[in-house]
Amino acid sequence: MINQKNNKNFFIDISRSIIVPVVAAVCFIIWAFYLFKYPIITFPVIFIIFTFVYVLSGYVFGIVLLTFAIPVAFFVITPDTTDNLLLICETIWLLFVFLRLEHYRGLWTASKIKINVENEVLDRDITIIQSSILENENISKSTKQKIQTFQKLEQIIKTLEENMDSGEFINIIENVTRDFMGKGKFTIKRQSSKDIFVNYARFNKSPLLISNTKEDNRFSEEDYKDICSIIVMPIEVENNYWGTIKGYTKDKKEAFNDYDLRQLSILANILGLTINNSILLKQIETLAITDGLTGLYTKTYFTERLEEEFERVKINKFPMSIAIIDIDYFKSVNDTYGHLAGDNFLKQLASILKKRFRGIDILARYGGEEFAVLMLHTTSNESYSILEEIRKGVEGKNFIIPIDFYTTKKIKKTISIGLATLSDEKDIYEFIKKADDALYEAKKSGRNKTIIYNN
C-alpha cells in the first residue's frame, strides 16, 4: 500500500516538473504562431489551453507565458495597425488574467496552508485528548484495582478479627493469603529451623523473592526441587518476629514478581497490626477485670460472673458455694510496717489462694483486705474442707514483708472465712449476704475459723 502511494506521488512530480512544462512550451509556440496570423479567432481557444496548463503546472507556466508575452508585445508596438493593436490588447488581457489567476492561486494556497495548520492543530488536540482519555482510563483502572484491594483487605481484617482466638487461626491466614495473592500455595511458619528459606528471611530481617529458581545461586537445587518461584515475608508484631509467610509456585506462568512482593508486604503489615491489636485488646480486657495489685478478678467482674452462674444453676441444678475471706487484724500490718508491707502481704496471700483453688473457681479481691471465691459444682462439705485446708496453711506460714530497702521481717497472720451454699436464695445479693453474715459470725466468735451459714 505504501509503495503504491509513493509511485503515484513520483508520477505526479515528474508530470508537473517535466511533462507539463514541455506541453506548455509547445502550446506557447502554437499560440505565438497563430496569434500573429489569426489573433481574434485563435485567442479564446489558446487561452483555455493556457488556463488548463496553468492549473496543472503553476509557476512554471507563468514563467513561460511571460517569456513569450513580453517579446510579442514589443514586436507589435512599432507597426500602427489594427491587428497589432488588437494583439497588444490580447497580450495585456492575457497577462491580467494570469495575474488574477496567480492571485487566486495564492489565496487558495494560503487557505490550503491555513487549513493544513488547523488540521495539524486539530490532530494535535485530538492526540492530546486521546492521550488524556487513555491516561484517565489507566487511572480509573488503577483506582478500581486499589478499591478492590482495599475491599479484600477489609474482608481479610474482619475475618482475622472474628477468628483470632480460633484454633484454626493459622489455617485461616493461609487461606486469606492465597485468596488475596490469587496464585501460588502459602504456609505460615511460626518456628521452623528446618526451612532454609524461612530462616534466611528471618535472620536477614528482610523479604525473600526468587522469581526464577534456575537463575538463583543462593540455594542448592535440592532446596528448590520442582519449585519455579519462591516468596517469603516475615510478620512482625511491635518490631518483634511473630512468624513468616512462605509461598511458592510450580508453574512459570504464575511466577512471583516485584508486584507480588509489594502485595504480600501490605498483607504482612496488616496481619502484624491485627495480631497486635488483638493482643492489646486482651490486655485491656484483662486490666479491666483484674485487680492491679493482686492480679485477681475485680469485685465488679466477680459479681457479673456470679449472676451468670446463678442463672445457670436455676436450669442445670448443680451445687455452688461462695466464701468471703478476711485477714484478721490486717490494719496492724499497715500501721506497724507501712502500706508497702501491707501490699506485699496481700500479694503473697493472693498467690496462695490462686494455687489452692481450681481453675473453674472464680477468685476475686472483694475489698481492701477481703477476698471472695465462687466454687462451682461444690457442696457445702466439700467447700468447707478446701477452705479449712487453706486457713490452716495460712496460719502456719511465715510471711516475709519488707521493712525498708535492706530489711525484711517474718510475720504470721490468720484469716476468717464465711461460707454459704446456694439453696433457695432469690438473687445473688441474698446469697452474698449469707456468706457475709457467716464471716461476721467467724470474726465475732474469735477469728481464725471457717463458719458455714446456718439459719
PDB file of all heavy atoms in Angstrom, residues 144-162:
ATOM      1  N   LYS A 144      -9.718   1.467  40.437  1.00  0.00           N
ATOM      2  CA  LYS A 144     -10.621   0.336  40.619  1.00  0.00           C
ATOM      3  C   LYS A 144      -9.882  -0.837  41.262  1.00  0.00           C
ATOM      4  O   LYS A 144     -10.415  -1.491  42.167  1.00  0.00           O
ATOM      5  CB  LYS A 144     -11.199  -0.078  39.270  1.00  0.00           C
ATOM      6  CG  LYS A 144     -12.261  -1.164  39.366  1.00  0.00           C
ATOM      7  CD  LYS A 144     -12.834  -1.475  37.999  1.00  0.00           C
ATOM      8  CE  LYS A 144     -13.911  -2.557  38.091  1.00  0.00           C
ATOM      9  NZ  LYS A 144     -14.476  -2.868  36.753  1.00  0.00           N
ATOM     10  N   GLN A 145      -8.653  -1.085  40.810  1.00  0.00           N
ATOM     11  CA  GLN A 145      -7.861  -2.165  41.400  1.00  0.00           C
ATOM     12  C   GLN A 145      -7.558  -1.887  42.871  1.00  0.00           C
ATOM     13  O   GLN A 145      -7.618  -2.793  43.704  1.00  0.00           O
ATOM     14  CB  GLN A 145      -6.553  -2.335  40.624  1.00  0.00           C
ATOM     15  CG  GLN A 145      -6.731  -2.934  39.232  1.00  0.00           C
ATOM     16  CD  GLN A 145      -5.429  -3.039  38.471  1.00  0.00           C
ATOM     17  OE1 GLN A 145      -4.418  -2.431  38.846  1.00  0.00           O
ATOM     18  NE2 GLN A 145      -5.420  -3.814  37.391  1.00  0.00           N
ATOM     19  N   LYS A 146      -7.249  -0.604  43.172  1.00  0.00           N
ATOM     20  CA  LYS A 146      -6.973  -0.243  44.573  1.00  0.00           C
ATOM     21  C   LYS A 146      -8.212  -0.431  45.439  1.00  0.00           C
ATOM     22  O   LYS A 146      -8.120  -0.912  46.577  1.00  0.00           O
ATOM     23  CB  LYS A 146      -6.482   1.206  44.643  1.00  0.00           C
ATOM     24  CG  LYS A 146      -5.082   1.424  44.089  1.00  0.00           C
ATOM     25  CD  LYS A 146      -4.668   2.875  44.184  1.00  0.00           C
ATOM     26  CE  LYS A 146      -3.259   3.078  43.620  1.00  0.00           C
ATOM     27  NZ  LYS A 146      -2.850   4.499  43.679  1.00  0.00           N
ATOM     28  N   ILE A 147      -9.377  -0.019  44.903  1.00  0.00           N
ATOM     29  CA  ILE A 147     -10.620  -0.190  45.660  1.00  0.00           C
ATOM     30  C   ILE A 147     -10.882  -1.666  45.923  1.00  0.00           C
ATOM     31  O   ILE A 147     -11.246  -2.064  47.044  1.00  0.00           O
ATOM     32  CB  ILE A 147     -11.797   0.446  44.885  1.00  0.00           C
ATOM     33  CG1 ILE A 147     -11.651   1.971  44.853  1.00  0.00           C
ATOM     34  CG2 ILE A 147     -13.129   0.059  45.513  1.00  0.00           C
ATOM     35  CD1 ILE A 147     -12.668   2.668  43.986  1.00  0.00           C
ATOM     36  N   GLN A 148     -10.694  -2.497  44.886  1.00  0.00           N
ATOM     37  CA  GLN A 148     -10.884  -3.928  45.064  1.00  0.00           C
ATOM     38  C   GLN A 148      -9.895  -4.496  46.081  1.00  0.00           C
ATOM     39  O   GLN A 148     -10.263  -5.350  46.902  1.00  0.00           O
ATOM     40  CB  GLN A 148     -10.727  -4.640  43.717  1.00  0.00           C
ATOM     41  CG  GLN A 148     -11.839  -4.336  42.724  1.00  0.00           C
ATOM     42  CD  GLN A 148     -11.595  -4.957  41.359  1.00  0.00           C
ATOM     43  OE1 GLN A 148     -10.493  -5.432  41.067  1.00  0.00           O
ATOM     44  NE2 GLN A 148     -12.619  -4.964  40.520  1.00  0.00           N
ATOM     45  N   THR A 149      -8.647  -3.988  46.040  1.00  0.00           N
ATOM     46  CA  THR A 149      -7.639  -4.440  47.011  1.00  0.00           C
ATOM     47  C   THR A 149      -8.043  -4.056  48.426  1.00  0.00           C
ATOM     48  O   THR A 149      -7.961  -4.870  49.362  1.00  0.00           O
ATOM     49  CB  THR A 149      -6.271  -3.829  46.673  1.00  0.00           C
ATOM     50  OG1 THR A 149      -5.874  -4.238  45.359  1.00  0.00           O
ATOM     51  CG2 THR A 149      -5.221  -4.299  47.679  1.00  0.00           C
ATOM     52  N   PHE A 150      -8.494  -2.808  48.608  1.00  0.00           N
ATOM     53  CA  PHE A 150      -8.922  -2.358  49.936  1.00  0.00           C
ATOM     54  C   PHE A 150     -10.130  -3.151  50.431  1.00  0.00           C
ATOM     55  O   PHE A 150     -10.224  -3.466  51.625  1.00  0.00           O
ATOM     56  CB  PHE A 150      -9.261  -0.863  49.911  1.00  0.00           C
ATOM     57  CG  PHE A 150      -8.055   0.027  49.784  1.00  0.00           C
ATOM     58  CD1 PHE A 150      -8.068   1.141  48.968  1.00  0.00           C
ATOM     59  CD2 PHE A 150      -6.906  -0.249  50.496  1.00  0.00           C
ATOM     60  CE1 PHE A 150      -6.960   1.957  48.845  1.00  0.00           C
ATOM     61  CE2 PHE A 150      -5.783   0.557  50.389  1.00  0.00           C
ATOM     62  CZ  PHE A 150      -5.810   1.670  49.559  1.00  0.00           C
ATOM     63  N   GLN A 151     -11.047  -3.470  49.515  1.00  0.00           N
ATOM     64  CA  GLN A 151     -12.197  -4.268  49.911  1.00  0.00           C
ATOM     65  C   GLN A 151     -11.760  -5.661  50.360  1.00  0.00           C
ATOM     66  O   GLN A 151     -12.276  -6.204  51.347  1.00  0.00           O
ATOM     67  CB  GLN A 151     -13.184  -4.361  48.743  1.00  0.00           C
ATOM     68  CG  GLN A 151     -13.910  -3.051  48.453  1.00  0.00           C
ATOM     69  CD  GLN A 151     -14.784  -3.135  47.208  1.00  0.00           C
ATOM     70  OE1 GLN A 151     -14.620  -4.035  46.380  1.00  0.00           O
ATOM     71  NE2 GLN A 151     -15.708  -2.201  47.066  1.00  0.00           N
ATOM     72  N   LYS A 152     -10.804  -6.230  49.619  1.00  0.00           N
ATOM     73  CA  LYS A 152     -10.274  -7.535  50.019  1.00  0.00           C
ATOM     74  C   LYS A 152      -9.608  -7.454  51.388  1.00  0.00           C
ATOM     75  O   LYS A 152      -9.811  -8.311  52.248  1.00  0.00           O
ATOM     76  CB  LYS A 152      -9.262  -8.029  48.980  1.00  0.00           C
ATOM     77  CG  LYS A 152      -9.878  -8.533  47.693  1.00  0.00           C
ATOM     78  CD  LYS A 152      -8.790  -9.083  46.774  1.00  0.00           C
ATOM     79  CE  LYS A 152      -9.364  -9.612  45.475  1.00  0.00           C
ATOM     80  NZ  LYS A 152      -8.280 -10.135  44.588  1.00  0.00           N
ATOM     81  N   LEU A 153      -8.798  -6.394  51.578  1.00  0.00           N
ATOM     82  CA  LEU A 153      -8.097  -6.241  52.851  1.00  0.00           C
ATOM     83  C   LEU A 153      -9.081  -6.035  53.999  1.00  0.00           C
ATOM     84  O   LEU A 153      -8.876  -6.547  55.106  1.00  0.00           O
ATOM     85  CB  LEU A 153      -7.125  -5.055  52.764  1.00  0.00           C
ATOM     86  CG  LEU A 153      -5.928  -5.250  51.819  1.00  0.00           C
ATOM     87  CD1 LEU A 153      -5.127  -3.959  51.710  1.00  0.00           C
ATOM     88  CD2 LEU A 153      -5.035  -6.385  52.291  1.00  0.00           C
ATOM     89  N   GLU A 154     -10.143  -5.268  53.731  1.00  0.00           N
ATOM     90  CA  GLU A 154     -11.167  -5.054  54.760  1.00  0.00           C
ATOM     91  C   GLU A 154     -11.815  -6.371  55.162  1.00  0.00           C
ATOM     92  O   GLU A 154     -12.026  -6.640  56.355  1.00  0.00           O
ATOM     93  CB  GLU A 154     -12.222  -4.084  54.228  1.00  0.00           C
ATOM     94  CG  GLU A 154     -13.307  -3.753  55.244  1.00  0.00           C
ATOM     95  CD  GLU A 154     -14.354  -2.812  54.681  1.00  0.00           C
ATOM     96  OE1 GLU A 154     -14.302  -2.527  53.469  1.00  0.00           O
ATOM     97  OE2 GLU A 154     -15.227  -2.362  55.441  1.00  0.00           O
ATOM     98  N   GLN A 155     -12.117  -7.212  54.162  1.00  0.00           N
ATOM     99  CA  GLN A 155     -12.706  -8.509  54.448  1.00  0.00           C
ATOM    100  C   GLN A 155     -11.719  -9.409  55.183  1.00  0.00           C
ATOM    101  O   GLN A 155     -12.101 -10.165  56.087  1.00  0.00           O
ATOM    102  CB  GLN A 155     -13.141  -9.168  53.132  1.00  0.00           C
ATOM    103  CG  GLN A 155     -13.889 -10.492  53.319  1.00  0.00           C
ATOM    104  CD  GLN A 155     -15.159 -10.338  54.102  1.00  0.00           C
ATOM    105  OE1 GLN A 155     -15.878  -9.356  53.952  1.00  0.00           O
ATOM    106  NE2 GLN A 155     -15.454 -11.305  54.956  1.00  0.00           N
ATOM    107  N   ILE A 156     -10.431  -9.314  54.803  1.00  0.00           N
ATOM    108  CA  ILE A 156      -9.402 -10.108  55.477  1.00  0.00           C
ATOM    109  C   ILE A 156      -9.298  -9.719  56.947  1.00  0.00           C
ATOM    110  O   ILE A 156      -9.245 -10.577  57.836  1.00  0.00           O
ATOM    111  CB  ILE A 156      -8.047  -9.925  54.769  1.00  0.00           C
ATOM    112  CG1 ILE A 156      -8.049 -10.670  53.428  1.00  0.00           C
ATOM    113  CG2 ILE A 156      -6.891 -10.434  55.639  1.00  0.00           C
ATOM    114  CD1 ILE A 156      -6.835 -10.399  52.579  1.00  0.00           C
ATOM    115  N   ILE A 157      -9.269  -8.405  57.220  1.00  0.00           N
ATOM    116  CA  ILE A 157      -9.176  -7.931  58.606  1.00  0.00           C
ATOM    117  C   ILE A 157     -10.374  -8.422  59.415  1.00  0.00           C
ATOM    118  O   ILE A 157     -10.232  -8.880  60.557  1.00  0.00           O
ATOM    119  CB  ILE A 157      -9.093  -6.391  58.629  1.00  0.00           C
ATOM    120  CG1 ILE A 157      -7.771  -5.930  58.017  1.00  0.00           C
ATOM    121  CG2 ILE A 157      -9.213  -5.865  60.051  1.00  0.00           C
ATOM    122  CD1 ILE A 157      -7.684  -4.442  57.811  1.00  0.00           C
ATOM    123  N   LYS A 158     -11.558  -8.331  58.818  1.00  0.00           N
ATOM    124  CA  LYS A 158     -12.763  -8.777  59.508  1.00  0.00           C
ATOM    125  C   LYS A 158     -12.690 -10.269  59.814  1.00  0.00           C
ATOM    126  O   LYS A 158     -13.016 -10.707  60.927  1.00  0.00           O
ATOM    127  CB  LYS A 158     -13.991  -8.473  58.635  1.00  0.00           C
ATOM    128  CG  LYS A 158     -15.308  -8.833  59.290  1.00  0.00           C
ATOM    129  CD  LYS A 158     -16.475  -8.466  58.379  1.00  0.00           C
ATOM    130  CE  LYS A 158     -17.804  -8.844  59.027  1.00  0.00           C
ATOM    131  NZ  LYS A 158     -18.945  -8.512  58.145  1.00  0.00           N
ATOM    132  N   THR A 159     -12.238 -11.051  58.833  1.00  0.00           N
ATOM    133  CA  THR A 159     -12.122 -12.500  59.025  1.00  0.00           C
ATOM    134  C   THR A 159     -11.111 -12.832  60.119  1.00  0.00           C
ATOM    135  O   THR A 159     -11.359 -13.694  60.973  1.00  0.00           O
ATOM    136  CB  THR A 159     -11.691 -13.182  57.708  1.00  0.00           C
ATOM    137  OG1 THR A 159     -12.651 -12.879  56.693  1.00  0.00           O
ATOM    138  CG2 THR A 159     -11.602 -14.684  57.878  1.00  0.00           C
ATOM    139  N   LEU A 160      -9.977 -12.134  60.107  1.00  0.00           N
ATOM    140  CA  LEU A 160      -8.938 -12.396  61.115  1.00  0.00           C
ATOM    141  C   LEU A 160      -9.424 -12.038  62.514  1.00  0.00           C
ATOM    142  O   LEU A 160      -9.188 -12.774  63.475  1.00  0.00           O
ATOM    143  CB  LEU A 160      -7.679 -11.601  60.772  1.00  0.00           C
ATOM    144  CG  LEU A 160      -6.929 -12.027  59.505  1.00  0.00           C
ATOM    145  CD1 LEU A 160      -5.787 -11.070  59.218  1.00  0.00           C
ATOM    146  CD2 LEU A 160      -6.406 -13.447  59.632  1.00  0.00           C
ATOM    147  N   GLU A 161     -10.092 -10.883  62.631  1.00  0.00           N
ATOM    148  CA  GLU A 161     -10.572 -10.453  63.944  1.00  0.00           C
ATOM    149  C   GLU A 161     -11.623 -11.411  64.505  1.00  0.00           C
ATOM    150  O   GLU A 161     -11.666 -11.662  65.707  1.00  0.00           O
ATOM    151  CB  GLU A 161     -11.150  -9.041  63.852  1.00  0.00           C
ATOM    152  CG  GLU A 161     -10.088  -7.967  63.627  1.00  0.00           C
ATOM    153  CD  GLU A 161     -10.688  -6.587  63.464  1.00  0.00           C
ATOM    154  OE1 GLU A 161     -11.910  -6.502  63.240  1.00  0.00           O
ATOM    155  OE2 GLU A 161      -9.934  -5.596  63.559  1.00  0.00           O
ATOM    156  N   GLU A 162     -12.464 -11.945  63.614  1.00  0.00           N
ATOM    157  CA  GLU A 162     -13.509 -12.861  64.067  1.00  0.00           C
ATOM    158  C   GLU A 162     -12.945 -14.216  64.503  1.00  0.00           C
ATOM    159  O   GLU A 162     -13.564 -14.909  65.308  1.00  0.00           O
ATOM    160  CB  GLU A 162     -14.538 -13.066  62.952  1.00  0.00           C
ATOM    161  CG  GLU A 162     -15.384 -11.827  62.666  1.00  0.00           C
ATOM    162  CD  GLU A 162     -16.315 -12.039  61.487  1.00  0.00           C
ATOM    163  OE1 GLU A 162     -16.163 -13.082  60.806  1.00  0.00           O
ATOM    164  OE2 GLU A 162     -17.172 -11.170  61.237  1.00  0.00           O
TER     165      GLU A 162
END
